[in-house]
Structure formats: structure tokens, C-alpha cells
Amino acid sequence: MPTPMEQLIEYIEYILTPSTPVFVVGALIVVLVPIIVHIFVTQSTPYTSLPSVVLVGPPGAGKTALLTLLERGDAAISTHTSQVPQSIELTVSVDQHLSFREAVKDDAPGEHKKFLLVDTPGHGKLRNFAMDSLVAREGLKGIVFMLDAATLDENLAATANYLYEVLLALQKRVSSVKTSKTPSAINVLIAANKSDLFTALPATLVKSNLEAELGRIRKSRSKGLLASGVGIDDVDNGENDDWLGEYGSEKFTFGQMQEFNLEVDIVGGSVTEGKVDKWWHWVSERL
Ligand SMILES: Nc1nc2c(ncn2[C@@H]2O[C@H](COP(=O)(O)OP(=O)(O)OP(=O)(O)O)[C@@H](O)[C@H]2O)c(=O)[nH]1
Ligand SMILES: [Mg+2]
């Protein structure tokens, strides 16, 4: 009768002796354990989030009006200042250049894709949701920064300040990654709304006015930094977190954002007149 100690030794010897059953069991463990762990992990954190596009921009730009138009096909319903974010699920036909009215029909041709359009409040005190979702939202495919092109002259500073925050957050998202694996591109559409009003600036002017103002903001922010005693050497080491675009350049242009894997397009339109197809196509191409 072998003692338990002898039994154990015999068992260990058996396991350590190369034999077919030991190899088979060992191979099964090596192959199956990672698969089981993978299934376990992916099921406990289900990937439920649809690709999403976030609408940001100053108050009164027409974000909620656009959401309502896309959801119900009717912009006439009056909107009021948003207090909370709101998402709707929409469907695009990916390979077809349909107008949004055709695309939202169930029998629209082509491959369908669902996505979430997220409306955020534009008020300065309620922007944290929008800003958080730019960096943290899973499946974020694009950002639509909407502004009122008819009152941009009066609101230029406030609008550009918000845009600066948005672009800077996206720039940091890319530049803070030290590995070679850069995060996927998130592009920005500047939707210059209310082209139906006669005071509305055309997209080209919206672009040049914003670029000039963003350049001014950038300069005044860096002055504050220099005054605080941070030397230009620190700045060159990437210490200047507040500088948007190409460091040290005299003028800001949206093209400078390409260095950070960020394309900025400026397209005019009007929610009231239903002229939103160019924006719709921009969104479909990002999904
Ligand atoms: N003339 C004109 N008015 C528009 C257009 N789009 C929206 N509006 C009006 O602009 C006003 C503000 O629109 P909202 O959609 O509430 O603006 P918002 O961007 O959601 O604003 P917040 O929720 O405060 O951030 C509403 O009275 C709309 O009817 C447009 O294309 N042309
Ligand atoms: Mg709103």
C-alpha cells in the first residue's frame, strides 16, 4: 500500500514524463484558457455602444433643431435651450449618396448602418458633458460643431473660445499618446447654420474669421504662460499644453490640425430650409 507521499511523487513523475495524454491535456489548457478568459471578459463588458457623432456648439446654433429635423423630418417644431444631452438613433445608407429624407426610410437602398447622434447643451455651464464625451466616448466617429452664421460677427469670440476648447481636447487626445499607435482620426465638421438669413456669412468667411480669432486666442493664452515664468525651452519640449496647431506659427489655420490626425471641414447649411444634406453626407462618410 503506497503512502500518500509516494502517491504524490508518482503523480508528479507521471506529469513530468513526456507522454501523449499529458501533451494533449497541456495543449488543451494552453489553447482553451485564453479563449475562455476572452469570452468571459468581453461578455462582462458588452460592446453595446453604437458609433456616435456628437453635436456641439454655442447656444442657439440650431443643434436641437437639426436633431429634431433628422428624427421627425420636420424642423418647424420650436426648440428651447437644452439643459441635458439627448441622443437619437439614426440609420444611414453607407454606399449611396441619398438625401437624409430618403436615407431615413426603412426601404432605402444600400447597406444600412445605425449610429447615435448626440445633442449637447451649448450653454457654458453645461458644456462639461460635451467636453467629456469628446475624449471618453467609445465609438466616437466625428464631431459636428454647429454655429449660427448669421450672428457670428457678434458671437465670434465666444464661439471661437468654445471651438478652441474642442480642438484642443482632440489635439491632446492625440499628442498625449506616447506610443506609435495613434488614436483613430476624429474629424470635425463646422456646420455654419442659418444660411437662409441674409446676414449669414458664407462658409469661406466663417472659416477665415474663425481662423483669425483662434489665432488671437492662442496668442493671448501663450502670453499668460510666458508671464507665468515658463521658458520657451519648456514650451518646445511639449510643455505648452494650451497651444493649438503648429507650435510657434504666426497664423492659425485649420490645416495645422492635420498634424494631429484631425481634419476640419466648414460647410454651410440651413436647418429651417432643410438644407442639411451636405452635413448628412459628411456624417455618413465618417461612419
Ligand atoms: N433662421 C433659422 N433659424 C434656425 C435655423 N436652425 C435653427 N434655428 C432657430 O434657432 C433657434 C435655436 O435653435 P436650437 O436648436 O434650440 O439651438 P441649440 O443649438 O440647440 O441651442 P442650445 O440648446 O441652447 O445649445 C431656434 O429658434 C431655431 O428655430 C436655421 O437654419 N435658420
Ligand atoms: Mg439645444
Side-chain angles (χ1 to χ4, degrees):
M1 197 54 197
T3 66
M5 196 60 200
E6 281 168 343
Q7 268 182 335
L8 184 69
I9 289 171
E10 203 177 300
Y11 180 68
I12 290 173
E13 266 175 4
Y14 172 72
I15 285 196
L16 293 180
T17 316
S19 70
T20 319
V22 170
F23 270 129
V24 170
V25 171
L28 280 179
I29 290 175
V30 167
V31 171
L32 289 181
V33 166
I35 294 176
I36 291 168
V37 169
H38 174 80
I39 290 170
F40 186 75
V41 169
T42 49
Q43 276 194 345
S44 55
T45 53
Y47 184 76
T48 49
S49 55
L50 286 172
S52 53
V53 172
V54 178
L55 266 172
V56 298
K63 300 179 291 296
T64 310
L66 174 65
L67 201 82
T68 316
L69 173 67
L70 294 176
E71 189 178 26
R72 309 191 207 164
D74 184 1
I77 302 151
S78 72
T79 58
H80 39 78
T81 295
S82 307
Q83 310 274 348
V84 288
Q86 177 192 1
S87 325
I88 56 167
E89 197 178 301
L90 291 168
T91 311
V92 282
S93 299
V94 190
D95 44 358
Q96 306 269 329
H97 245 50
L98 300 176
S99 74
F100 82 94
R101 285 187 199 283
E102 292 165 310
V104 289
K105 289 180 194 147
D106 284 339
D107 57 354
E111 189 203 334
H112 291 195
K113 244 188 195 173
K114 283 192 190 312
F115 73 102
L116 279 184
L117 187 64
V118 186
D119 175 29
T120 62
H123 191 280
K125 290 197 171 134
L126 302 170
R127 272 178 203 165
N128 43 353
F129 173 82
M131 295 308 293
D132 290 349
S133 66
L134 299 189
V135 209
R137 178 172 276 273
E138 213 178 308
L140 178 64
K141 298 291 181 189
I143 289 150
V144 178
F145 185 94
M146 188 175 255
L147 54 84
D148 178 349
T151 61
L152 186 64
D153 276 340
E154 300 116 75
N155 299 326
L156 185 60
T159 305
N161 260 312
Y162 191 6
L163 183 58
Y164 197 97
E165 294 300 335
V166 169
L167 294 178
L168 194 64
L170 294 171
Q171 170 178 317
K172 282 182 182 169
R173 189 179 151 272
V174 175
S175 61
S176 65
V177 176
K178 294 284 187 264
T179 58
S180 56
K181 188 173 160 279
T182 41
S184 55
I186 291 184
N187 296 327
V188 178
L189 171 67
I190 298 180
N193 192 25
K194 310 201 186 179
S195 66
D196 54 293
L197 301 176
F198 80 100
T199 48
L201 300 178
T204 45
L205 268 181
V206 170
K207 180 178 185 209
S208 55
N209 287 2
L210 282 175
E211 283 181 336
E213 186 64 24
L214 289 169
R216 273 195 287 276
I217 296 172
R218 182 168 84 166
K219 215 174 244 169
S220 68
R221 283 189 177 211
S222 72
K223 273 194 195 120
L225 194 81
L226 291 175
S228 73
V230 181
I232 197 87
D233 292 340
D234 301 332
V235 162
D236 273 345
N237 291 336
E239 297 283 326
N240 188 351
D241 282 342
D242 269 1
W243 187 276
L244 187 69
E246 183 194 335
Y247 186 70
S249 53
E250 186 59 31
K251 284 208 170 80
F252 174 81
T253 62
F254 287 118
Q256 291 172 7
M257 299 312 293
Q258 276 170 3
E259 194 191 323
F260 301 97
N261 217 358
L262 228 129
E263 299 252 4
V264 184
D265 296 304
I266 294 110
V267 180
S270 162
V271 175
T272 312
E273 288 189 327
K275 286 190 188 153
V276 300
D277 278 332
K278 284 185 183 156
W279 302 338
W280 179 255
H281 292 150
W282 185 94
V283 169
S284 347
E285 281 158 16
R286 298 297 170 292
L287 296 169

mmCIF file of all heavy atoms in Angstrom, residues 211-245:
data_model
loop_
_atom_site.group_PDB
_atom_site.id
_atom_site.type_symbol
_atom_site.label_atom_id
_atom_site.label_comp_id
_atom_site.label_asym_id
_atom_site.label_seq_id
_atom_site.Cartn_x
_atom_site.Cartn_y
_atom_site.Cartn_z
ATOM 1 N N GLU A 211 -10.494 81.295 -38.053
ATOM 2 C CA GLU A 211 -9.042 81.082 -38.007
ATOM 3 C C GLU A 211 -8.346 82.279 -37.370
ATOM 4 O O GLU A 211 -7.447 82.120 -36.525
ATOM 5 C CB GLU A 211 -8.489 80.829 -39.417
ATOM 6 C CG GLU A 211 -8.768 79.419 -39.900
ATOM 7 C CD GLU A 211 -8.222 79.120 -41.288
ATOM 8 O OE1 GLU A 211 -8.032 80.070 -42.070
ATOM 9 O OE2 GLU A 211 -7.981 77.950 -41.597
ATOM 10 N N ALA A 212 -8.775 83.480 -37.756
ATOM 11 C CA ALA A 212 -8.155 84.681 -37.199
ATOM 12 C C ALA A 212 -8.383 84.750 -35.687
ATOM 13 O O ALA A 212 -7.457 85.029 -34.913
ATOM 14 C CB ALA A 212 -8.723 85.914 -37.884
ATOM 15 N N GLU A 213 -9.612 84.451 -35.267
ATOM 16 C CA GLU A 213 -9.932 84.550 -33.843
ATOM 17 C C GLU A 213 -9.232 83.448 -33.036
ATOM 18 O O GLU A 213 -8.743 83.696 -31.938
ATOM 19 C CB GLU A 213 -11.456 84.486 -33.656
ATOM 20 C CG GLU A 213 -11.943 84.726 -32.236
ATOM 21 C CD GLU A 213 -11.634 86.126 -31.710
ATOM 22 O OE1 GLU A 213 -11.466 87.049 -32.532
ATOM 23 O OE2 GLU A 213 -11.547 86.285 -30.481
ATOM 24 N N LEU A 214 -9.170 82.256 -33.589
ATOM 25 C CA LEU A 214 -8.466 81.174 -32.893
ATOM 26 C C LEU A 214 -6.987 81.524 -32.735
ATOM 27 O O LEU A 214 -6.375 81.233 -31.698
ATOM 28 C CB LEU A 214 -8.621 79.849 -33.653
ATOM 29 C CG LEU A 214 -10.017 79.219 -33.612
ATOM 30 C CD1 LEU A 214 -10.124 78.070 -34.608
ATOM 31 C CD2 LEU A 214 -10.346 78.720 -32.217
ATOM 32 N N GLY A 215 -6.428 82.178 -33.753
ATOM 33 C CA GLY A 215 -5.037 82.627 -33.671
ATOM 34 C C GLY A 215 -4.844 83.635 -32.554
ATOM 35 O O GLY A 215 -3.863 83.591 -31.814
ATOM 36 N N ARG A 216 -5.817 84.538 -32.414
ATOM 37 C CA ARG A 216 -5.731 85.536 -31.328
ATOM 38 C C ARG A 216 -5.815 84.870 -29.967
ATOM 39 O O ARG A 216 -5.056 85.195 -29.054
ATOM 40 C CB ARG A 216 -6.865 86.570 -31.473
ATOM 41 C CG ARG A 216 -6.524 87.732 -32.390
ATOM 42 C CD ARG A 216 -7.512 88.871 -32.202
ATOM 43 N NE ARG A 216 -8.826 88.583 -32.768
ATOM 44 C CZ ARG A 216 -9.136 88.763 -34.049
ATOM 45 N NH1 ARG A 216 -8.236 89.231 -34.896
ATOM 46 N NH2 ARG A 216 -10.334 88.481 -34.500
ATOM 47 N N ILE A 217 -6.736 83.927 -29.839
ATOM 48 C CA ILE A 217 -6.886 83.227 -28.556
ATOM 49 C C ILE A 217 -5.591 82.505 -28.204
ATOM 50 O O ILE A 217 -5.106 82.559 -27.070
ATOM 51 C CB ILE A 217 -8.057 82.223 -28.632
ATOM 52 C CG1 ILE A 217 -9.372 82.963 -28.856
ATOM 53 C CG2 ILE A 217 -8.124 81.375 -27.373
ATOM 54 C CD1 ILE A 217 -10.540 82.048 -29.131
ATOM 55 N N ARG A 218 -5.036 81.861 -29.192
ATOM 56 C CA ARG A 218 -3.805 81.098 -28.994
ATOM 57 C C ARG A 218 -2.684 82.009 -28.495
ATOM 58 O O ARG A 218 -1.950 81.668 -27.569
ATOM 59 C CB ARG A 218 -3.439 80.485 -30.346
ATOM 60 C CG ARG A 218 -2.250 79.637 -30.366
ATOM 61 C CD ARG A 218 -2.166 78.888 -31.656
ATOM 62 N NE ARG A 218 -1.557 79.672 -32.709
ATOM 63 C CZ ARG A 218 -1.126 79.154 -33.872
ATOM 64 N NH1 ARG A 218 -1.303 77.882 -34.124
ATOM 65 N NH2 ARG A 218 -0.573 79.914 -34.767
ATOM 66 N N LYS A 219 -2.599 83.177 -29.119
ATOM 67 C CA LYS A 219 -1.541 84.114 -28.751
ATOM 68 C C LYS A 219 -1.742 84.605 -27.313
ATOM 69 O O LYS A 219 -0.802 84.634 -26.518
ATOM 70 C CB LYS A 219 -1.555 85.295 -29.714
ATOM 71 C CG LYS A 219 -0.175 85.832 -30.004
ATOM 72 C CD LYS A 219 -0.232 86.898 -31.077
ATOM 73 C CE LYS A 219 0.523 86.477 -32.322
ATOM 74 N NZ LYS A 219 0.266 87.363 -33.455
ATOM 75 N N SER A 220 -2.977 84.982 -26.992
ATOM 76 C CA SER A 220 -3.170 85.560 -25.659
ATOM 77 C C SER A 220 -2.984 84.493 -24.584
ATOM 78 O O SER A 220 -2.488 84.782 -23.506
ATOM 79 C CB SER A 220 -4.546 86.219 -25.551
ATOM 80 O OG SER A 220 -5.538 85.244 -25.596
ATOM 81 N N ARG A 221 -3.328 83.263 -24.891
ATOM 82 C CA ARG A 221 -3.099 82.199 -23.911
ATOM 83 C C ARG A 221 -1.613 81.959 -23.692
ATOM 84 O O ARG A 221 -1.174 81.705 -22.577
ATOM 85 C CB ARG A 221 -3.725 80.898 -24.387
ATOM 86 C CG ARG A 221 -5.206 80.844 -24.208
ATOM 87 C CD ARG A 221 -5.651 79.444 -24.497
ATOM 88 N NE ARG A 221 -7.086 79.324 -24.257
ATOM 89 C CZ ARG A 221 -7.655 78.198 -23.850
ATOM 90 N NH1 ARG A 221 -6.928 77.131 -23.649
ATOM 91 N NH2 ARG A 221 -8.942 78.142 -23.662
ATOM 92 N N SER A 222 -0.834 82.023 -24.754
ATOM 93 C CA SER A 222 0.595 81.738 -24.600
ATOM 94 C C SER A 222 1.275 82.897 -23.889
ATOM 95 O O SER A 222 2.272 82.711 -23.211
ATOM 96 C CB SER A 222 1.243 81.484 -25.951
ATOM 97 O OG SER A 222 1.343 82.683 -26.672
ATOM 98 N N LYS A 223 0.734 84.110 -24.010
ATOM 99 C CA LYS A 223 1.292 85.247 -23.257
ATOM 100 C C LYS A 223 1.132 85.006 -21.773
ATOM 101 O O LYS A 223 2.046 85.223 -20.997
ATOM 102 C CB LYS A 223 0.596 86.542 -23.652
ATOM 103 C CG LYS A 223 1.251 87.178 -24.845
ATOM 104 C CD LYS A 223 0.790 88.608 -25.030
ATOM 105 C CE LYS A 223 1.167 89.100 -26.395
ATOM 106 N NZ LYS A 223 -0.007 89.489 -27.187
ATOM 107 N N GLY A 224 -0.023 84.540 -21.389
ATOM 108 C CA GLY A 224 -0.246 84.226 -19.979
ATOM 109 C C GLY A 224 0.771 83.215 -19.487
ATOM 110 O O GLY A 224 1.297 83.312 -18.388
ATOM 111 N N LEU A 225 1.085 82.287 -20.360
ATOM 112 C CA LEU A 225 2.021 81.229 -19.993
ATOM 113 C C LEU A 225 3.426 81.788 -19.824
ATOM 114 O O LEU A 225 4.123 81.469 -18.867
ATOM 115 C CB LEU A 225 2.016 80.168 -21.089
ATOM 116 C CG LEU A 225 2.675 78.871 -20.702
ATOM 117 C CD1 LEU A 225 1.697 78.055 -19.890
ATOM 118 C CD2 LEU A 225 3.095 78.109 -21.929
ATOM 119 N N LEU A 226 3.840 82.653 -20.768
ATOM 120 C CA LEU A 226 5.181 83.207 -20.678
ATOM 121 C C LEU A 226 5.308 84.086 -19.444
ATOM 122 O O LEU A 226 6.326 84.084 -18.772
ATOM 123 C CB LEU A 226 5.508 84.013 -21.950
ATOM 124 C CG LEU A 226 5.656 83.143 -23.201
ATOM 125 C CD1 LEU A 226 5.848 84.002 -24.432
ATOM 126 C CD2 LEU A 226 6.805 82.168 -23.057
ATOM 127 N N ALA A 227 4.219 84.831 -19.149
ATOM 128 C CA ALA A 227 4.257 85.701 -17.983
ATOM 129 C C ALA A 227 4.395 84.875 -16.711
ATOM 130 O O ALA A 227 4.954 85.319 -15.721
ATOM 131 C CB ALA A 227 2.989 86.548 -17.922
ATOM 132 N N SER A 228 3.905 83.651 -16.729
ATOM 133 C CA SER A 228 3.959 82.826 -15.521
ATOM 134 C C SER A 228 5.335 82.212 -15.324
ATOM 135 O O SER A 228 5.553 81.437 -14.406
ATOM 136 C CB SER A 228 2.903 81.724 -15.589
ATOM 137 O OG SER A 228 3.299 80.738 -16.512
ATOM 138 N N GLY A 229 6.279 82.549 -16.203
ATOM 139 C CA GLY A 229 7.661 82.159 -15.975
ATOM 140 C C GLY A 229 8.088 80.883 -16.668
ATOM 141 O O GLY A 229 9.181 80.392 -16.443
ATOM 142 N N VAL A 230 7.229 80.342 -17.512
ATOM 143 C CA VAL A 230 7.618 79.138 -18.245
ATOM 144 C C VAL A 230 8.459 79.572 -19.438
ATOM 145 O O VAL A 230 8.038 80.379 -20.246
ATOM 146 C CB VAL A 230 6.372 78.380 -18.722
ATOM 147 C CG1 VAL A 230 6.773 77.126 -19.462
ATOM 148 C CG2 VAL A 230 5.487 78.033 -17.547
ATOM 149 N N GLY A 231 9.676 79.065 -19.502
ATOM 150 C CA GLY A 231 10.584 79.477 -20.569
ATOM 151 C C GLY A 231 10.219 78.858 -21.900
ATOM 152 O O GLY A 231 9.465 77.892 -21.961
ATOM 153 N N ILE A 232 10.764 79.420 -22.963
ATOM 154 C CA ILE A 232 10.450 78.939 -24.304
ATOM 155 C C ILE A 232 10.988 77.521 -24.504
ATOM 156 O O ILE A 232 10.456 76.753 -25.282
ATOM 157 C CB ILE A 232 11.006 79.923 -25.363
ATOM 158 C CG1 ILE A 232 10.337 79.687 -26.721
ATOM 159 C CG2 ILE A 232 12.531 79.809 -25.484
ATOM 160 C CD1 ILE A 232 9.063 80.442 -26.879
ATOM 161 N N ASP A 233 12.037 77.148 -23.735
ATOM 162 C CA ASP A 233 12.590 75.799 -23.866
ATOM 163 C C ASP A 233 11.605 74.741 -23.382
ATOM 164 O O ASP A 233 11.414 73.706 -24.008
ATOM 165 C CB ASP A 233 13.889 75.672 -23.068
ATOM 166 C CG ASP A 233 14.995 76.508 -23.692
ATOM 167 O OD1 ASP A 233 14.848 76.844 -24.882
ATOM 168 O OD2 ASP A 233 15.965 76.818 -22.981
ATOM 169 N N ASP A 234 10.957 75.060 -22.259
ATOM 170 C CA ASP A 234 9.951 74.128 -21.754
ATOM 171 C C ASP A 234 8.848 73.960 -22.775
ATOM 172 O O ASP A 234 8.342 72.878 -23.000
ATOM 173 C CB ASP A 234 9.328 74.663 -20.453
ATOM 174 C CG ASP A 234 10.391 74.881 -19.392
ATOM 175 O OD1 ASP A 234 11.402 74.153 -19.454
ATOM 176 O OD2 ASP A 234 10.217 75.760 -18.535
ATOM 177 N N VAL A 235 8.533 75.092 -23.382
ATOM 178 C CA VAL A 235 7.466 75.094 -24.365
ATOM 179 C C VAL A 235 7.799 74.170 -25.530
ATOM 180 O O VAL A 235 6.985 73.400 -26.005
ATOM 181 C CB VAL A 235 7.247 76.548 -24.827
ATOM 182 C CG1 VAL A 235 6.488 76.585 -26.126
ATOM 183 C CG2 VAL A 235 6.511 77.319 -23.738
ATOM 184 N N ASP A 236 9.076 74.212 -25.950
ATOM 185 C CA ASP A 236 9.472 73.372 -27.074
ATOM 186 C C ASP A 236 9.457 71.892 -26.725
ATOM 187 O O ASP A 236 9.341 71.044 -27.589
ATOM 188 C CB ASP A 236 10.877 73.769 -27.547
ATOM 189 C CG ASP A 236 10.789 74.902 -28.553
ATOM 190 O OD1 ASP A 236 9.670 75.124 -29.051
ATOM 191 O OD2 ASP A 236 11.809 75.550 -28.819
ATOM 192 N N ASN A 237 9.569 71.585 -25.446
ATOM 193 C CA ASN A 237 9.531 70.187 -25.043
ATOM 194 C C ASN A 237 8.111 69.655 -24.961
ATOM 195 O O ASN A 237 7.880 68.596 -24.402
ATOM 196 C CB ASN A 237 10.202 70.019 -23.676
ATOM 197 C CG ASN A 237 11.688 70.257 -23.787
ATOM 198 O OD1 ASN A 237 12.261 70.098 -24.857
ATOM 199 N ND2 ASN A 237 12.288 70.658 -22.691
ATOM 200 N N GLY A 238 7.171 70.424 -25.488
ATOM 201 C CA GLY A 238 5.793 69.975 -25.462
ATOM 202 C C GLY A 238 5.116 70.299 -24.152
ATOM 203 O O GLY A 238 4.079 69.752 -23.837
ATOM 204 N N GLU A 239 5.722 71.216 -23.386
ATOM 205 C CA GLU A 239 5.118 71.567 -22.107
ATOM 206 C C GLU A 239 3.929 72.499 -22.303
ATOM 207 O O GLU A 239 3.112 72.672 -21.424
ATOM 208 C CB GLU A 239 6.144 72.267 -21.208
ATOM 209 C CG GLU A 239 7.336 71.404 -20.842
ATOM 210 C CD GLU A 239 6.992 70.401 -19.769
ATOM 211 O OE1 GLU A 239 6.178 70.723 -18.901
ATOM 212 O OE2 GLU A 239 7.535 69.292 -19.819
ATOM 213 N N ASN A 240 3.891 73.131 -23.459
ATOM 214 C CA ASN A 240 2.805 74.076 -23.687
ATOM 215 C C ASN A 240 1.554 73.328 -24.124
ATOM 216 O O ASN A 240 1.375 73.019 -25.288
ATOM 217 C CB ASN A 240 3.208 75.096 -24.746
ATOM 218 C CG ASN A 240 2.182 76.185 -24.866
ATOM 219 O OD1 ASN A 240 1.099 76.096 -24.294
ATOM 220 N ND2 ASN A 240 2.504 77.214 -25.609
ATOM 221 N N ASP A 241 0.714 73.072 -23.164
ATOM 222 C CA ASP A 241 -0.471 72.267 -23.439
ATOM 223 C C ASP A 241 -1.586 73.074 -24.065
ATOM 224 O O ASP A 241 -2.577 72.517 -24.500
ATOM 225 C CB ASP A 241 -0.990 71.660 -22.133
ATOM 226 C CG ASP A 241 -0.151 70.466 -21.739
ATOM 227 O OD1 ASP A 241 0.562 69.949 -22.611
ATOM 228 O OD2 ASP A 241 -0.222 70.063 -20.573
ATOM 229 N N ASP A 242 -1.442 74.382 -24.075
ATOM 230 C CA ASP A 242 -2.549 75.221 -24.499
ATOM 231 C C ASP A 242 -2.427 75.722 -25.922
ATOM 232 O O ASP A 242 -3.292 76.424 -26.400
ATOM 233 C CB ASP A 242 -2.661 76.429 -23.552
ATOM 234 C CG ASP A 242 -3.601 76.127 -22.405
ATOM 235 O OD1 ASP A 242 -4.112 74.989 -22.379
ATOM 236 O OD2 ASP A 242 -3.818 77.013 -21.569
ATOM 237 N N TRP A 243 -1.336 75.392 -26.555
ATOM 238 C CA TRP A 243 -1.108 75.907 -27.905
ATOM 239 C C TRP A 243 -1.796 75.000 -28.918
ATOM 240 O O TRP A 243 -1.518 73.810 -28.990
ATOM 241 C CB TRP A 243 0.399 75.981 -28.188
ATOM 242 C CG TRP A 243 0.685 76.649 -29.491
ATOM 243 C CD1 TRP A 243 0.688 76.055 -30.728
ATOM 244 C CD2 TRP A 243 0.987 78.030 -29.701
ATOM 245 N NE1 TRP A 243 0.971 76.987 -31.686
ATOM 246 C CE2 TRP A 243 1.158 78.212 -31.082
ATOM 247 C CE3 TRP A 243 1.120 79.134 -28.853
ATOM 248 C CZ2 TRP A 243 1.461 79.448 -31.647
ATOM 249 C CZ3 TRP A 243 1.426 80.365 -29.408
ATOM 250 C CH2 TRP A 243 1.589 80.522 -30.788
ATOM 251 N N LEU A 244 -2.674 75.620 -29.710
ATOM 252 C CA LEU A 244 -3.416 74.849 -30.698
ATOM 253 C C LEU A 244 -2.689 74.891 -32.038
ATOM 254 O O LEU A 244 -2.280 75.960 -32.492
ATOM 255 C CB LEU A 244 -4.822 75.448 -30.842
ATOM 256 C CG LEU A 244 -5.811 74.674 -31.702
ATOM 257 C CD1 LEU A 244 -6.210 73.379 -31.043
ATOM 258 C CD2 LEU A 244 -7.051 75.520 -31.961
ATOM 259 N N GLY A 245 -2.517 73.743 -32.665
ATOM 260 C CA GLY A 245 -1.918 73.701 -34.002
ATOM 261 C C GLY A 245 -0.402 73.739 -33.968
ATOM 262 O O GLY A 245 0.221 73.432 -32.951
#
